[in-house]
Amino acid sequence: METDPPKAFEGYAPKTGRFALTPELSPEQELAILCHALFAEGYDDHIAGHISYRQDDGTFLINPWELAWDEITASDIIRIDVEGNVIAGDWNVTPANLLHRAIHEVRSDANIIIHNHPRYASIWSMRQEVPKTFDQTGANINGDIKLYNEYAGALHQTEQCAKAAAELGDAKWALLANHGVLVTGRDIRQAHVRAVTLEWRCKQAWMVEAIGGGVPMPEEHVENLGGMIDEFGLPFMWEAMVRRVLRKYPEVLQ
């Protein structure tokens, strides 16, 4: 049974044709733009990090190992099969795609998986502590942030990845202790707002601590707001970030 959008979102629908807020994008273009958009949000640890995007035919799109997220174009995106073999693309795929495939295998809801070492979330992962929520933007997503604290180096061994996938369970997002983050999503829009919210929440909490502390938002407010946005999406945010990327990097569509 489908749930109707809340009243706050009534009348919202993606525009098409003359009134489209973004051009029509291929999956490869979507993924390339997502890489650029998240790079601007702090997912910028040189060439580290990878995003996998499950397709209807069972294959996965993934960003190249060799390229930083702010230089990727649609034609750079790689396609791999369920065994991790490159079936389209001119670059190499990171061995760490094994973790993504392990999670995709047990999570039908996780069509997008993001891993990177964003600045502020990585600090909290080093502290092995989940930050509190102090502002509305940090409350765009509800639910606990999983702390996975069994770091054993890069995740590219079958047994280790299967264990990590099991430990993560149905988490929307996780801090990987002394490492970075992992974010899941059913589609590009949901994965984007989850990843942005995670880093924003970590950044704001770090700054609040730097001035001696603050008062967190009531949990019920975070739950209500975050549940609404996570379920239905934040209207126009993804489209605005697409336009921002295209203004700065129009070659991303190539």
Side-chain angles (χ1 to χ4, degrees), residues 13-30:
K15 303 299 182 182
T16 59
R18 175 184 172 192
F19 299 103
L21 295 177
T22 66
E24 185 174 348
L25 301 170
S26 69
E28 290 83 0
Q29 290 172 330
E30 287 183 323

Side-chain angles (χ1 to χ4, degrees), residues 27-28 53-61 79-82 87-88 111:
E28 290 83 0
Y53 186 7
R54 177 160 47 201
Q55 300 300 292
D56 291 340
D57 63 358
T59 63
F60 301 91
L61 301 180
R79 187 181 294 267
I80 62 175
D81 63 18
V82 293
I87 57 177
N111 292 317

Side-chain angles (χ1 to χ4, degrees), residues 167-180:
E167 286 287 333
L168 289 167
D170 61 357
K172 299 175 182 179
W173 44 15
L175 296 179
L176 309 179
N178 303 103
H179 188 166

Side-chain angles (χ1 to χ4, degrees), residues 185-205:
R186 65 172 176 261
D187 52 31
I188 288 279
R189 180 186 298 277
Q190 186 181 71
H192 171 259
V193 73
R194 285 180 176 180
V196 169
T197 301
L198 178 58
E199 180 64 358
W200 180 277
R201 184 179 299 185
C202 290
K203 179 180 179 180
Q204 298 299 87

Side-chain angles (χ1 to χ4, degrees), residues 98-185:
L98 187 58
L99 173 61
H100 290 232
R101 290 189 285 120
I103 298 171
H104 283 300
E105 186 175 353
V106 297
R107 293 277 302 274
S108 60
D109 63 308
N111 292 317
I112 305 279
I113 299 174
I114 300 166
H115 169 62
N116 207 312
H117 316 142
R119 301 174 191 177
Y120 292 93
S122 293
I123 291 173
W124 287 97
S125 84
M126 297 169 202
R127 185 165 168 168
Q128 297 194 19
E129 180 180 342
V130 174
K132 295 180 173 63
T133 305
F134 289 96
D135 72 330
Q136 179 174 291
T137 303
N140 277 344
I141 305 299
N142 64 339
D144 294 335
I145 298 173
K146 178 82 173 181
L147 177 60
Y148 181 73
N149 59 2
E150 296 187 28
Y151 177 68
L155 291 165
H156 52 69
Q157 296 178 353
T158 303
E159 184 177 344
Q160 183 186 16
C161 290
K163 181 180 179 182
E167 286 287 333
L168 289 167
D170 61 357
K172 299 175 182 179
W173 44 15
L175 296 179
L176 309 179
N178 303 103
H179 188 166
V181 306
L182 190 137
V183 179
T184 68

